[in-house]
Amino acid sequence: MRAVVVDNAGAIHVDTRPDPTLPGPDGAIVQVEAASICGSDLHFLEGHYPMAEPVSLGHEAVGTIVETGSEVAKFQKGNRVLVSSVAGCGRCAGCATHDPIKCVQGPQIFGSGILGGAQAELLAVPAADFQLLAMPDGIDTQQALLLTDNLATGWAAAKRADIPIGGTVAVIGLGAVGMCALRSALTLGAATVFAVDPVEARRKRAEAWGATGITAPSARPIREATGGLGADAVIDAVGTDTSINDALDAVRTGGTVSIVGVHDLQPYPLPALACLLRSLTIRLTTAPVQQTWPELIPLLQAGRLDVDGIFTDTLPLDEATAGYAAAMSRSGEHLKVRLNP
């Protein structure tokens, strides 16, 4: 099969790899119809994570089951499904909460060097009854791809930000996750959303969706706009030292900072005393993907949550190098890239 691979030099290739085999009697093989590039995939290109060998990339996939193990009860060959980006064993007390992050055996992420990557023609899925979801009625392919990770992450970020109805929220970083968090914050009742990004075209996109665009750093203009108080909640969808500092500076005393941006492997110097004296709540979240589906799918089906415009590019798998170049540009024109095997 063909698969997108990153090597130790940070170069992207489309390689030929052996077809995957069933990962056990509870597993399935999915023929990938569509995959997408996530901002966290870019960390491998930028050298933030060590690699002993080339890694097959991607953790967002929609496709059709072509094989199932004998213990798979909910699915059969021919079912069209979406795949949770985060995998759990599906049998433990943690997975019983529908949050694979709480898996007692430890969660795994597709395309991280342990499980195979989703940017490929075929994907082996362990614990298929837990990881897979039958394609819901009224959900298109791009909505389904967002449900596998980015929308689930943005939604979790907004829910964990303690947004008061009619409150003020700042979203730092207007990539796909940040845009999903922005849409989620509005759906959850925020009256004002400050959209923070150094790229003007991304701010303009956010403004078209009802936000107030602000260039980074954002603390001073947000405080000026809120009478010196700061935002009720700040969502950091970048996860660098600079963006976390900006989030802490922009939130009001007693507010909440919700971080879903992926930090590198270096320690962050938390100003703990200042956070203590200001009674801040700080949450860092990897999305409980399966847990978000019962909330997000009805909102999408009813048209109450709009994610149109998140995907900006669609390319064949063989043009993955160009797709990654577009994603790495972090421009307003290239927000989210879909790859079609």
Side-chain angles (χ1 to χ4, degrees), residues 44-323:
F44 288 99
L45 279 69
E46 295 168 326
H48 294 163
Y49 303 143
M51 293 184 294
E53 58 185 22
V55 172
S56 175
L57 289 173
H59 51 262
E60 304 171 351
V62 173
T64 301
I65 295 174
V66 294
E67 186 179 359
T68 60
S70 59
E71 295 178 7
V72 176
K74 297 180 181 178
F75 302 97
Q76 59 187 3
K77 181 179 179 179
N79 289 161
R80 192 163 177 251
V81 294
L82 55 94
V83 186
S84 169
S85 58
V86 185
C89 73
R91 298 181 298 274
C92 69
C95 289
T97 69
H98 303 288
D99 182 357
I101 293 300
K102 297 178 181 176
C103 180
V104 173
Q105 296 184 26
Q108 298 179 355
I109 299 175
F110 290 96
S112 61
I114 300 174
L115 298 179
Q119 295 163 16
E121 292 179 303
L122 296 169
L123 180 64
V125 181
D129 284 338
F130 180 66
Q131 256 72 255
L132 300 178
L133 179 71
M135 183 67 71
D137 293 337
I139 297 296
D140 64 32
T141 299
Q142 296 192 157
Q143 290 173 325
L145 280 172
L146 292 173
L147 283 167
T148 67
D149 180 13
N150 285 180
L151 182 55
T153 300
W155 180 255
K159 286 193 70 177
R160 288 172 60 81
D162 299 329
I163 301 168
I165 301 297
T168 301
V169 181
V171 178
I172 299 176
L174 302 177
V177 169
M179 292 296 193
C180 287
L182 186 156
R183 304 283 185 95
S184 297
L186 291 169
T187 300
L188 290 168
T192 302
V193 178
F194 296 110
V196 182
D197 199 284
V199 179
E200 182 181 10
R202 290 193 170 194
R203 297 196 303 271
K204 294 295 184 185
R205 280 183 179 274
E207 289 169 0
W209 297 331
T212 300
I214 292 180
T215 189
S218 65
R220 184 170 181 176
I222 288 173
R223 289 192 175 278
E224 289 174 351
T226 56
L229 292 174
D232 294 304
V234 179
I235 298 169
D236 179 6
V238 180
T240 63
D241 286 8
T242 299
S243 65
I244 297 171
N245 289 340
D246 196 20
L248 294 174
D249 290 343
V251 73
R252 69 181 55 192
T253 295
T256 299
V257 173
S258 177
I259 301 169
V260 290
V262 180
H263 199 270
D264 59 26
L265 296 178
Q266 300 304 311
Y268 170 68
L270 176 71
L273 179 59
C275 295
L276 174 83
L277 294 174
R278 296 176 60 208
S279 295
L280 299 184
T281 298
I282 303 171
R283 294 193 173 106
L284 296 93
T285 304
T286 298
V289 178
Q290 288 90 324
Q291 205 174 85
T292 69
W293 289 340
E295 298 172 336
L296 289 171
I297 290 168
L299 289 170
L300 291 170
Q301 290 170 323
R304 300 299 297 272
L305 178 59
D306 178 15
V307 293
D308 290 346
I310 300 290
F311 277 92
T312 53
D313 302 80
T314 300
L315 297 169
L317 189 73
D318 287 337
E319 296 181 23
T321 300

